[in-house]
Amino acid sequence: GARLLRNWISKPLADLKIIQDRQELIKIFFNNNLKRREIRSILSSIPDMERLIHRIITNRINPKEIVALAFAVKVIPNIRKIIQEIGQDLPQIKDLSNQIIDLNDFSKKILSVVEEEPIGLVGGGKIIKKGLNKELDIQRGYIFESREKLASIERNMKEKTGINNLKIGFNKIFGYYFEVSKSHIDQVPEDFHRKQTLVNAERYTTSQLKNLEFKIINARDKVSSMETELFNELCVSLSEYQNDVVQVAKIISQIDVLSNLSEISVENNYTCPTFTKENKIDIKAGRHPVIEKSMPFGKFIPNDIDLSNDKRQILVITGPNMSGKSTYIRQVAMLTLMAQIGCFIPAEKAEIGLVDQLFTRAGLSDDIGAGRSTFMVEMVETANVLRRATSRSLVILDEVGRGTSTYDGLAIAKAVVEYIHNNPQKSCKTLFATHYHELTNCEEYLDRCVNSRVDVNETGKDVTFLHKIVPGASKRSYGIHVGKLAGLPKEVIDRAYDLLSDYEGNNQEKTTYNNYYGFQIPMIDQQENWISEEISSIDVNLITPLEALNKLSEIKKKSQEINDDGKNL
């Protein structure tokens, strides 16, 4: 099931009929809680059948795995019965149950050869059932019943010789032997042959003991060979069931995924999305399926999304750091992906037009080995989006242009927005999260570009990120506030406010800035650029020091006149 789910996620559907069929199956499990739980309980005892049958074919399976497969096959009819009970008249359920083939003979064949609780590995003598092979049973008797046989010989020999302390021992050099103390040597029978002399005892052997020793030692090799041969023959005979087992395994994996998706839909209050022929995505109160699971129940802030090719094609989303812009755009992509594998989604209501491709340009990474910097990787990914996207694609772009200078990045970001909007073949639904507030003026001249922002509540010096997407553009990024939350030293924070005041050309006192915890630095200089032109026209190689001082005085005087005129206005 896990493997199939991974496959579904990596290959979402573009065929509406197949999507709706999956939705119907999930609904059936969704509406039958008790039966679904029964199925989930049975499924938990079933191993990876497809993997195990391939291990049988390649003769790499161990005894415990093959027995587990046999018992799994025996419980599968119970799943078929439950499925038939919950959807007797539904064609989708009938199709599933009809594909569950009877594999009773497969299971019987395994359990007729292998012990139900095999011990050790093949060749150890405790795998093949007793009674299957007479010669194997005899040889195993020499191994596993040798202790009893030796005890019987020892007991009989004590009675025959009258030597009460006679005992049978074994070592790797001399094998099995009778050990007799020196005080009883005169009682040793004539058929005893001396093997070893010790300080206080003598060790002997007999033809009977030698014969038993020979059988015990050879029995191990014979048992290993015979048991391995019988097990291999079983694996070969099971290969004829390969196609049937694989077919059943695939159906079981579908039931596993479908019942699991319905289970999480019940547990997490998911809803079934509807699909439309219109090129739009309209989701009410959508939630991020991963992040909400890491938060206390009900704490995640849901958000709507309304995208359409004809009216709201591009959403330019601004807002503070840490407010949730990236979470929001990823959330929309994930819900669309979930919908197109047939899954229910975390939302109150959803109406989705089929998406043919889903593109993302998010996160930071580099490929130094290939000579690509972080910004180069960003540009390559963006270029890939712009080349391949179609009017039915969904694109999420997160902070495009941030890896270079401010003006370069802003220019690229705005050009990308305009290209997506104005190119009919690339007019894809797009979510563009950015800190370039200058992009918000795209709404003024691009018909299908709309501004959204993450709402913030300011109360005195306190700033609260509401994580709620609302119409309009944000005016601040609150970057310094985030730096403060991150633990930057107070000296750094204070200096940052001073610099921010200078950059913005704001004449308010520093204390006024402390009422706010961050501003967006303007990217376009609002002052006249005549000073720059004056300085650029000076040839520093020809000008004398006196001329330079006169020129500086002239620029200062002109600047003062302009400022006085502005104040008078």
Side-chain angles (χ1 to χ4, degrees), residues 366-384:
D366 57 41
D367 189 3
I368 300 302
R372 293 178 175 179
S373 65
T374 303
F375 182 66
M376 183 61 175
V377 170
E378 179 183 329
M379 289 298 98
V380 168
E381 292 178 356
T382 304
N384 181 54

Side-chain angles (χ1 to χ4, degrees), residues 121 125 243 285 370 375 379 433 506 556:
L121 300 176
N243 292 335
F375 182 66
M379 289 298 98
N506 197 312
K556 181 179 179 182

Side-chain angles (χ1 to χ4, degrees), residues 24 48 64 191 206 281-283 288 335 340 377 413 425 470 527:
E24 288 303 315
D48 189 336
K64 287 188 176 181
D191 59 342
T206 65
I281 298 176
D282 186 3
I283 300 173
H288 195 293
L335 299 194
Q340 289 197 213
V377 170
Q425 287 77 32
V470 296
Q527 296 183 358

Side-chain angles (χ1 to χ4, degrees), residues 114-178:
V114 183
E115 291 282 0
E116 292 188 3
E117 294 183 4
I119 300 173
L121 300 176
V122 177
K126 296 186 177 182
I127 303 304
I128 303 299
K129 273 185 176 293
K130 290 181 180 179
L132 183 71
N133 186 291
K134 187 176 180 181
E135 179 62 24
L136 176 61
D137 290 344
I138 292 172
Q139 297 300 325
R140 285 193 296 201
Y142 288 122
I143 298 173
F144 302 118
E145 298 171 14
S146 60
R147 188 183 296 274
E148 289 79 7
K149 293 180 185 298
L150 290 167
S152 176
I153 292 173
E154 182 182 288
R155 195 164 47 248
N156 293 336
M157 196 57 68
K158 282 181 179 180
E159 293 175 0
K160 179 180 176 181
T161 62
I163 304 173
N164 292 329
N165 64 357
L166 179 147
K167 62 182 180 181
I168 293 177
F170 175 84
N171 67 35
K172 293 181 180 179
I173 297 174
F174 294 101
Y176 289 100
Y177 53 80
F178 291 109

